[in-house]
Amino acid sequence: MFGLGRRTQMVTAEEALPGRPTPGYAVPTTHEVLGTPLQGPWPAGSEVLYVAMGCFWGAERIFWRLPGVVSTAAGYLGGFTRYPTYEEVCTGLTGHTEAVQVVYDPAKTSPELLLKAFWENHDPTTANRQGNDVGTQYRSGIYWTTAGQEAAARATRDAFQQVLTEHGHGAISTELLPFPGEFYYAEDYHQQYLHKNPGGYCNHGPNGLTCPVGLVRQDQLPAQVDVAPPGD
């Protein structure tokens, strides 16, 4: 599977892999770091936001560290294939992006604060690419489940675009969409990957610009698909 995931044109529904009617693997029930339910149920009043910003290993760690976050999970979103596997997503033939489910307490944080971390920790101007990770599975995206999240996504996008423009960077390519209705949890070893593998691959970090409510070279890092999973 490694060396794949380089498809930069979105697959069509007709071309996509068929997938399966039920999950092909077991998913943990508890968050390894926070000790909260990985798949719910979560405390009453919790809200859920989905983001994609390249490899989900580093992206998930960014959010589980934030105040007010109840739970996070790595998974696949926005494609056509039902219950895909990581190997299938890496072919670019499922249409999914690597995404992070962020469950938070709106009394302790806000979509604006969560999205500040989103914009400042990846390059939202490189369509279907983060560093050496190339392919539609690495596209940047925000997928809202509430009207407040949508408003925050659009407002922070516009504010950060101004910052990017002032610093000579290009246009944001991040897709802003309502949650499509299906989030497929990734395999066990992907969940809280950098907690289980502290020295593991991560190409996320401050990009040097501040979102008002930042771009670090990443091309010296290996690609995610060049890093063998545990046990390989």
Side-chain angles (χ1 to χ4, degrees), residues 197-231:
N197 303 274
Y201 167 83
C202 174
N203 72 345
H204 291 88
N207 54 26
L209 301 179
T210 300
C211 180
V213 247
L215 294 173
V216 169
R217 286 179 61 88
Q218 298 176 349
D219 57 6
Q220 301 303 310
L221 295 169
Q224 178 191 1
V225 291
D226 293 331
V227 180

Side-chain angles (χ1 to χ4, degrees), residues 154-164 211-213:
R154 297 190 185 283
T156 57
R157 187 269 312 274
D158 293 346
F160 198 55
Q161 181 62 71
Q162 182 175 347
V163 173
L164 289 168
C211 180
V213 247

Side-chain angles (χ1 to χ4, degrees), residues 50 75-79 81-83 96 99 179-185:
Y50 296 88
Y76 313 116
L77 180 154
T81 301
R82 298 192 64 197
Y83 296 102
H96 293 291
F179 174 58
E182 291 287 356
F183 174 79
Y184 298 106
Y185 289 89

Side-chain angles (χ1 to χ4, degrees), residues 40-135:
W42 301 291
S46 297
E47 295 182 354
V48 186
L49 175 68
Y50 296 88
V51 296
M53 49 196 294
C55 172
F56 49 20
W57 296 338
E60 188 191 6
R61 182 171 64 178
I62 289 168
F63 289 97
W64 83 53
R65 290 176 165 177
L66 296 180
V69 170
V70 174
S71 185
T72 60
Y76 313 116
L77 180 154
F80 304 104
T81 301
R82 298 192 64 197
Y83 296 102
T85 65
Y86 179 63
E87 291 87 346
E88 291 171 341
V89 172
C90 282
T91 67
L93 294 175
T94 71
H96 293 291
T97 185
E98 293 191 19
V100 177
Q101 175 179 263
V102 183
V103 184
Y104 63 95
D105 181 347
K108 296 180 179 179
T109 188
S110 67
E112 288 82 2
L113 288 174
L114 297 175
L115 292 175
K116 177 179 173 67
F118 169 84
W119 294 116
E120 294 179 359
N121 283 280
H122 79 299
D123 184 349
T125 71
T126 51
N128 301 317
R129 178 170 190 162
Q130 288 297 308
N132 281 344
D133 288 334
V134 179

